[in-house]
Amino acid sequence: MSYTLNVVAVSGSLHSPSKTTALVRAILAALERELSIDVHLIELSQVGREFSGALRRDELSAAAEADLVRIEGADLLIVASPVYRASFTGLFKHVFDFVDQYSLVDKPVLLAATGGSDRHALILEHQFRPLFSFFQALTLPIGVYAKDADFTNYEVTNIELSERIDQAIRRGLPLVRASLPAVLSADSAAIVW
């Protein structure tokens, strides 16, 4: 039996190219080395305007609604934002304000962020975890924080960052597998990842 994991990644960066999006792509590449995945990447630098003018979900465009449905239906979320004024970007939060309050219950979420220096690394614990705790999501034990010096030309080049990405995935995979429907997780040894 084979199973392809439905992964939705959200990059909260408002710029392109983006170190945050590069980090997300590096996480996805590492995850793909471990199991079969189907990925949908939502880059707010590309689709942010679809969300920015709406005050209620019924005011969103069809494209924005489709992205929300993807977020709500994912097997695994990867969420990332650059640090902006000690938090994630406002547009990142605005997108998640539209997500149904109960659609992420027990959904595994890998947290990631980028910032200018290590001083901002606690954003994962002080901003991301409380947001996804509200949704009753299952935030994976290790998040991934990257600083500017970890990149060259918008590519991850720091081996220690690559090792942290691998560690976050290794530690998170048992929780991801356990979150799958009972028919799949009951015999995970038989599942081809």
Side-chain angles (χ1 to χ4, degrees):
M1 175 181 188
S2 67
Y3 185 77
T4 300
L5 197 70
N6 175 22
V7 179
V8 175
V10 180
S11 172
S13 177
L14 307 181
H15 304 283
S16 182
S18 158
K19 293 179 184 99
T20 303
T21 303
L23 176 61
V24 169
R25 290 183 189 281
I27 292 168
L28 290 168
L31 184 61
E32 194 164 31
R33 288 192 296 270
E34 296 295 323
L35 46 86
S36 175
I37 60 175
D38 179 38
V39 176
H40 182 77
L41 174 58
I42 299 169
E43 296 180 61
L44 296 190
S45 63
Q46 306 297 315
V47 301
R49 286 182 174 80
E50 298 287 335
F51 292 92
S52 62
L55 300 177
R56 296 186 322 268
R57 187 161 174 167
D58 63 359
E59 296 176 344
L60 290 172
S61 69
E65 176 63 26
D67 280 339
L68 289 178
V69 169
R70 286 185 183 101
I71 289 169
E72 294 168 346
D75 292 325
L76 169 66
L77 280 179
I78 297 171
V79 296
S81 175
V83 176
Y84 184 74
R85 300 192 180 187
S87 188
F88 29 68
T89 61
L91 189 54
F92 177 90
K93 175 63 167 63
H94 187 60
V95 168
F96 280 92
D97 284 344
F98 292 119
V99 172
D100 180 78
Q101 179 177 350
Y102 300 107
S103 65
L104 305 184
V105 172
D106 295 331
K107 186 178 303 295
V109 181
L110 193 153
L111 309 174
T114 57
S117 72
D118 287 331
R119 294 179 321 202
H120 303 292
L122 286 175
I123 184 176
L124 297 174
E125 305 305 321
H126 292 280
Q127 299 295 320
F128 278 92
R129 284 199 201 276
L131 173 61
F132 289 95
S133 290
F134 165 81
F135 286 110
Q136 301 174 56
L138 177 65
T139 55
L140 299 183
I142 298 175
V144 180
Y145 176 81
K147 61 186 180 299
D148 286 350
D150 294 328
F151 300 88
T152 303
N153 296 324
Y154 299 97
E155 295 287 332
V156 171
T157 52
N158 183 335
I159 189 67
E160 291 175 356
L161 174 57
S162 296
E163 290 169 354
R164 288 197 311 270
I165 291 169
D166 290 340
Q167 181 185 39
I169 290 170
R170 270 194 321 275
R171 290 282 308 279
L173 280 180
L175 296 171
V176 172
R177 288 181 174 118
S179 73
L180 296 174
V183 67
L184 295 173
S185 60
D187 190 16
S188 63
I191 298 174
V192 177
W193 293 95

